[in-house]
Amino acid sequence: MPEILEKLRPDCDLQCYFLRPSAIAALSATSANGFTVSGTWRQQFDWAVIEWNRDNVFEHPAFRSLPDGDLSGLTLTYDETRQNCIPLDSDLFPTVDWPSLRVWADDGTGEKIYKVPLKNHAIAIEGSYQPAIVQFQLGGTVTAGDYVGIAFLSEHYPYLMNAGDTLAVAIDNIVAGVNAFSPTMQAAANGTTITLTYVGAGQTLANTTTGANGNRIGVYAYVSGNETEQWDELSKLLAGGTSPTKWRVTLPFAGLIDPVLGQVPAAVIRKLRWTYSADLQAGAYARSEYQVVVSNWTVTGAGRAYSIAGPGSQRIEDDTSEVQYVGAWSSAGGNFSGGTIHSTSTNQATVHCTYTSAQQHSLYLGTRLADGGTVISCSVDGQTAVTLNLNVPGEDVLIRKLLGQFGAGSHTVTLSHAGNSGTYFYFDFLELAIPSTALLIENTETKLTAATDWDTDHSIALSPERTAWMINSLGFRGRVNHYVGALWFYELTRVGHIYASGTITFSGVPDENLITQIIIGRTDQPTSTQNVVEHLNLIGDSTDTLAKAFELELNRGYTAIRAQANGSQLTIYSRSMGLDGNAITIATSANTTNLTIQISGPTLAGGADGNWRTDLQATPRLNRAARDWSQSFFQALYGYGLDGVASFSMELQHGDPSTSAGIAQRYPSQAAVLLNTPALQTNFSPASANFWQQVYKDMATVLTATGLVPYLQFGEVQWWYFPDDGSGMPFYDAYTTATFLAQFGRPIAVIAANTVDPQTIPQEAAFLPGLIGTFTSQIRSFVRATYPNTRFEVLYPTDVNNTLLNQVINYPTNDWTPSNLNCLKTESFTYTFERNLDLAGTSIAAGAGLGFAPSQRSFLVGVSDSSTAWLKEARLAEANGLESVVLFALDQFCLIGYSLPLTTGMRRSAQFG
């Protein structure tokens, strides 16, 4: 039975995004019935979102759903648990939009973002509410005229000691006061001990839902007079509050309400976002792993099935002869349909297209919503033009816009820039879609596959099961090449950052019954947004209790700042890292008769950004998101009967370029090798090897858990190929130079270029590849000590190694042998882009001269340029009997939309349609 795509299905219709670079998040364990999102929070305001989007850009056009934002007939129900995220029932201020389902929809007056409170649609199904409590004990001896008391929130309960009183009498009276007047607490006495229970405003012990929120509330105690009485502690936090651990959320889309904007127009939704955020920590933020598990995901109602552009559909690309441009237009290549897109920023610039269709069809415009997009005028067959607004602040997304339903025959489409000059109209294609709900089954390619790249949204943003499904649905049965990437797979630490801070010092005596204020704001916001924090000075207050009272209040849930009292001095810290905290303003009320207040300055100060760096010591080296996504991905491949390899290069986006870290390749100038990935090219030192060997072992652990025999790739584990900074080749890190000096008794020669004849530097020519061989041998031994059956391959680029020097220094012939490696994979993107099939053929055959049989060889070919003969290269590699042929990469193959089935001859590559 043909497969049918469905709206809101977790394993094929949701995406995951996160705050970059501090957070990391990924989907895993997705199915029709649920998903997990997991990763690491690294600062207090980190967030991750799960998104449904009407405008799917990910699948190949052959099975990419047509845009359909009508959710009005659907109801979604799911169960959810969270770990180390702000809870669903938290009362924290939403600095990040975690309390709401955000809905982007246009009710006909322009797109709005609706915020639907999820708590209003949730019921607790596991766990229960238990209120937070705290106990204080009063000791010492009674002195008539002394005051004893407790204070919390904006409430205070003093008692004046009388002659003949006992400590228990004082406690009883304080308890009576709390129970009579407190809107938030209930109290109980047990001799000289008072127990406070936080029930919340308007609630009782029987029905309180304060739960874990109460654990942030603090209470302080005081004594004044002769002070012969003492409390066991001067302040305490409430504790023991619990909230439900699992919630069931029901979202009837036709009935969703934004408290401000009103009813959500559920038939015209463009985007949905569920947001998860780092739970509030008491002090400086400590890196923490998190997860959200969603289960029992059920969608009921009418209109769930998607349509696709079925048999008979066609695309008219922007560079075809049917398309005529009038006015100033420009063309650009990239990951667009057919590989190109046209654009104009000139008012009245127009594109015309006349086409013929053999049947009734839906006509879609392929264009781009973007910040700076324009308004366009659209007319078909001379009908009254309609306008489309392509401007969306803060976004840049490719979309298909329905222009209407049209019958068989010839039609003329006219599209004109109708906005201000300088705003942009992008024309990608016209699609004549014959809607169908049944997916086609593509031809099987036994040796061919598409590579995946976790640095791209086609991997990291998608369900891993969805990415594997794409590969299988395209008919690819060759061994999958998964590049774990250079940008996101590792843990991060922030080096050199400082939280901004400021101090408030109280001296003298707080004047009774006057209010002391602290005013918090930001330099980049109006004074009307300032928060005024007040404390009523109590009869028993001192400057110490005043500082403590503000500490407890500010730590109760102020998300921008935290505080710490030390005697009579209050230090306020920014919760945001670095320079941003310097924008937080602090001020206080004026001095009073007996109280002097001094602040360190008008703003917090001293905040320094520092730098996010790869944590070279984190164990495991792979972060939580990378581990979970990878395991689900390879498990899905295994379920399809596919094999796969996980690849790492020498690149780290956040690698530390300092000499003290010792991991960077360096030019003779001592500049670190920084690539445009962007990434640092790491070296072959022990410091680097110590990091990388654990990376490979961590991935072997992941692969073993999937049922696959681990297969790992040294992906371009090389010296960098070029003298990019002008001083020479990159062989001059401290370890390399010191090791060469120790071995040969002289400094390593300065090698100015990759064109140097290696015969003129025989010692360097023998030494440099040896470091690579030692490095890869060490990693293999380290991994196989735990996983002895682990397979290894090398990815070797022949094009950038086409000089005599690079051929020698970047291929350790003593280690990269058929007996040590399961496969040698070659690549030569430059030859592909130069359209040089002869040189590509030498790359395909390169392994033969190194002793690798066809069954131990593979070839990687780039498909990013639709005008090249990449398919000829792929078929040539197949004809040579190679074990597998890999198209790099899946995202480009799908976004460009190459025609399926792929031709089997030696013709030029073709585009979809």
Side-chain angles (χ1 to χ4, degrees):
M1 182 175 179
E3 189 173 0
I4 295 175
L5 298 178
E6 295 178 312
K7 297 174 188 173
L8 295 167
R9 180 167 159 161
D11 56 354
C12 61
D13 201 29
L14 299 179
Q15 291 79 244
C16 177
Y17 303 101
F18 54 90
L19 180 61
R20 302 183 180 191
S22 55
I24 184 69
L27 287 161
S28 62
T30 66
S31 69
N33 309 116
F35 62 87
T36 295
V37 58
S38 59
T40 308
W41 306 132
R42 303 179 183 116
Q43 58 101 3
Q44 187 60 75
F45 303 108
D46 275 346
W47 53 260
V49 298
I50 299 300
E51 178 180 288
W52 173 86
N53 201 308
R54 175 196 69 193
D55 299 301
N56 175 16
V57 298
F58 294 104
E59 274 74 21
H60 187 276
F63 44 90
R64 185 183 302 172
S65 57
L66 293 173
D68 183 352
D70 186 358
L71 305 182
S72 60
L74 301 177
T75 296
L76 168 63
T77 301
Y78 62 88
D79 301 342
E80 180 190 277
T81 62
R82 306 182 185 187
Q83 295 178 7
N84 286 334
C85 302
I86 295 179
L88 182 67
D89 65 332
S90 176
D91 61 6
L92 287 170
F93 178 80
T95 305
V96 175
D97 279 316
W98 56 266
S100 304
L101 171 67
R102 286 176 292 164
V103 183
W104 282 253
D106 188 344
D107 63 357
T109 62
E111 186 174 81
K112 301 178 181 66
I113 303 176
Y114 297 80
K115 297 182 179 182
V116 179
L118 287 167
K119 181 64 169 59
N120 294 352
H121 296 270
I123 59 171
I125 59 173
E126 284 185 16
S128 61
Y129 283 112
Q130 296 293 329
I133 65 171
V134 69
Q135 291 183 333
F136 282 86
Q137 185 173 22
L138 184 62
T141 59
V142 173
T143 298
D146 278 2
Y147 275 95
V148 297
I150 59 172
F152 50 84
L153 302 174
S154 60
E155 305 174 38
H156 54 97
Y157 297 91
Y159 178 71
L160 176 64
M161 290 293 194
N162 297 304
D165 279 349
T166 64
L167 298 175
V169 168
I171 293 295
D172 289 340
N173 277 274
I174 293 172
V175 166
V178 171
N179 290 336
F181 299 108
S182 175
T184 60
M185 293 279 188
Q186 290 195 6
N190 183 6
T192 60
T193 298
I194 181 172
T195 300
L196 296 173
T197 302
Y198 180 61
V199 296
Q203 301 188 70
T204 67
L205 276 174
N207 66 14
T208 180
T209 57
T210 54
N213 289 304
N215 296 334
R216 295 192 307 274
I217 294 173
V219 179
Y220 76 92
Y222 57 89
V223 177
S224 70
N226 290 312
E227 300 185 9
T228 58
E229 306 84 2
Q230 300 94 30
W231 293 98
D232 58 339
E233 290 188 46
L234 293 181
S235 68
K236 297 181 183 181
L237 290 176
L238 277 73
T242 64
S243 295
T245 55
K246 179 180 282 190
W247 296 86
R248 176 161 295 157
V249 179
T250 301
L251 298 169
F253 287 100
L256 297 182
I257 303 293
D258 178 308
V260 176
L261 298 178
Q263 185 162 349
V264 173
V268 286
I269 294 174
R270 181 171 70 87
K271 184 165 68 172
L272 304 171
R273 276 194 165 187
W274 289 261
T275 304
Y276 303 100
S277 185
D279 203 0
L280 190 70
Q281 293 187 358
Y285 197 82
R287 185 173 69 200
S288 62
E289 292 186 353
Y290 69 91
Q291 74 170 13
V292 179
V293 178
V294 173
S295 57
N296 296 321
W297 180 281
T298 306
V299 181
T300 58
R304 191 182 184 194
Y306 277 122
S307 293
I308 62 167
S313 300
Q314 60 175 307
R315 281 194 178 183
I316 302 172
E317 301 291 356
D318 66 301
D319 59 353
T320 56
S321 59
E322 296 99 321
V323 177
Q324 301 296 318
Y325 297 94
V326 177
W329 289 82
S330 60
S331 177
N335 290 333
F336 310 107
S337 182
T340 59
I341 194 169
H342 273 71
S343 66
T344 182
S345 59
T346 304
N347 180 259
Q348 297 303 312
T350 301
V351 54
H352 301 279
C353 177
T354 297
Y355 68 89
T356 301
S357 175
Q359 54 189 308
Q360 184 173 335
H361 58 280
S362 301
L363 179 64
Y364 288 90
L365 165 65
T367 184
R368 190 171 181 176
L369 287 180
D371 199 342
T374 195
V375 174
I376 64 171
S377 171
C378 310
S379 176
V380 181
D381 297 334
Q383 297 177 0
T384 302
V386 297
T387 58
L388 300 176
N389 185 0
L390 302 180
N391 181 60
V392 179
E395 294 195 42
D396 187 350
V397 59
L398 297 170
I399 68 163
R400 286 174 289 179
K401 186 68 178 178
L402 181 64
L403 299 183
Q405 311 289 334
F406 299 94
S410 294
H411 300 280
T412 298
V413 182
T414 302
L415 307 166
S416 299
H417 186 300
N420 295 327
S421 292
T423 57
Y424 280 85
F425 168 32
Y426 295 90
F427 176 74
D428 195 3
F429 61 88
L430 291 173
E431 183 167 47
L432 287 55
I434 314 301
S436 171
T437 58
L439 297 182
L440 298 177
I441 299 174
E442 298 300 335
N443 290 356
T444 297
E445 295 279 355
T446 58
K447 294 292 185 72
L448 209 61
T449 191
T452 52
D453 181 350
W454 213 58
D455 288 343
T456 70
D457 283 347
H458 262 74
S459 291
I460 195 170
L462 299 188
S463 149
E465 289 81 3
R466 181 178 178 183
T467 301
W469 174 82
M470 286 188 202
I471 294 170
N472 186 66
S473 297
L474 288 166
F476 294 145
R477 306 298 299 170
R479 177 167 56 89
V480 176
N481 193 125
H482 176 59
Y483 180 45
V484 188
L487 306 183
W488 306 115
F489 72 84
Y490 41 79
E491 265 306 346
L492 287 177
T493 185
R494 201 165 192 179
V495 177
H497 90 88
I498 301 172
Y499 286 101
S501 64
T503 59
I504 301 174
T505 304
F506 303 101
S507 58
V509 178
D511 295 283
E512 280 180 40
N513 297 320
L514 295 184
I515 292 175
T516 302
Q517 296 178 330
I518 294 177
I519 302 124
I520 305 295
R522 286 187 62 91
T523 57
D524 52 4
Q525 293 180 2
T527 57
S528 60
T529 65
Q530 290 177 337
N531 285 302
V532 180
V533 186
E534 296 185 333
H535 176 76
L536 175 64
N537 300 336
L538 309 178
I539 194 169
D541 267 336
S542 65
T543 53
D544 286 8
T545 63
L546 188 58
K548 179 59 70 173
F550 280 114
E551 176 202 279
L552 296 176
E553 175 60 21
L554 293 175
N555 291 343
R556 183 172 65 88
Y558 285 77
T559 54
I561 55 175
R562 59 184 177 87
Q564 182 176 352
N566 183 12
S568 60
Q569 186 175 82
L570 181 72
T571 302
I572 297 175
Y573 297 92
S574 168
R575 289 188 183 273
S576 62
M577 287 180 160
L579 290 172
D580 180 73
N582 295 341
I584 296 174
T585 61
I586 53 173
T588 68
S589 51
N591 295 335
T592 57
T593 302
N594 297 297
L595 179 67
T596 301
I597 310 173
Q598 183 176 3
I599 62 173
S600 57
T603 68
L604 302 188
D609 280 344
N611 295 288
W612 287 109
R613 297 299 186 207
T614 303
D615 189 337
L616 300 177
Q617 304 304 320
T619 303
R621 300 283 195 265
L622 301 182
N623 62 49
R624 174 69 182 275
R627 299 195 308 272
D628 290 356
W629 192 97
S630 298
Q631 181 167 328
S632 285
F633 177 63
F634 283 100
Q635 206 155 34
L637 293 180
Y638 182 70
Y640 289 122
L642 299 176
D643 198 3
V645 63
S647 170
F648 297 94
S649 65
M650 297 297 286
E651 298 179 33
L652 295 172
Q653 176 181 199
H654 298 98
D656 190 340
S658 69
T659 55
S660 59
I663 63 169
Q665 292 187 22
R666 294 190 179 280
Y667 301 109
S669 67
Q670 288 303 291
V673 177
L674 299 173
L675 311 180
N676 62 6
T677 313
L680 175 79
Q681 182 82 351
T682 57
N683 60 30
F684 303 102
S685 68
S688 181
N690 180 65
F691 171 76
W692 284 109
Q693 68 184 11
Q694 188 64 48
V695 168
Y696 283 86
K697 182 181 175 182
D698 289 345
M699 184 53 74
T701 301
V702 167
L703 293 173
T704 299
T706 69
L708 290 169
V709 177
Y711 209 148
L712 302 172
Q713 181 191 101
F714 298 116
E716 298 185 4
V717 175
Q718 311 262 272
W719 294 106
W720 184 241
Y721 312 102
F722 310 107
D724 284 342
D725 84 330
S727 69
M729 295 296 283
F731 313 136
Y732 302 93
D733 62 272
Y735 173 75
T736 300
T737 55
T739 304
F740 186 90
L741 178 63
Q743 184 172 335
F744 296 102
R746 66 172 179 83
I748 187 171
V750 174
I751 302 172
N754 58 12
T755 55
V756 169
D757 186 344
Q759 294 186 20
T760 65
I761 47 167
Q763 291 176 330
E764 285 82 357
F767 171 77
L768 292 169
L771 291 186
I772 300 177
T774 299
F775 180 85
T776 54
S777 176
Q778 178 180 335
I779 290 173
R780 290 199 312 274
S781 297
F782 184 80
V783 173
R784 285 175 173 162
T786 304
Y787 303 104
N789 294 326
T790 301
R791 299 169 291 172
F792 285 89
E793 77 173 2
V794 161
L795 173 63
Y796 180 73
T798 60
D799 51 352
V800 288
N801 283 311
N802 64 350
T803 66
L804 289 177
L805 177 69
N806 283 4
Q807 287 173 8
V808 170
I809 59 105
N810 270 335
Y811 197 97
T813 54
N814 290 337
D815 188 62
W816 291 2
T817 65
S819 61
N820 287 338
L821 300 174
N822 296 85
C823 187
L824 175 65
K825 181 175 288 177
T826 53
E827 62 172 333
S828 50
F829 288 7
T830 304
Y831 301 157
T832 305
F833 300 147
E834 291 176 349
R835 296 157 179 78
N836 193 325
L837 198 60
D838 292 334
L839 286 178
T842 66
S843 183
I844 293 168
L850 296 164
F852 288 86
S855 61
Q856 276 188 283
R857 299 197 335 254
S858 179
F859 185 64
L860 185 77
V861 57
V863 301
S864 62
D865 186 341
S866 62
S867 66
T868 65
W870 60 263
L871 186 54
K872 287 184 180 180
E873 287 188 35
R875 296 306 189 200
L876 180 61
E878 286 182 310
N880 275 260
L882 270 58
E883 175 260 354
S884 60
V885 180
V886 184
L887 308 180
F888 195 90
L890 176 67
D891 57 331
Q892 295 158 337
F893 189 89
C894 292
L895 290 168
I896 293 172
Y898 290 110
S899 291
L900 295 174
L902 295 174
T903 57
T904 56
M906 297 291 285
R907 297 174 56 197
R908 180 174 172 268
S909 309
Q911 302 154 15
F912 182 73

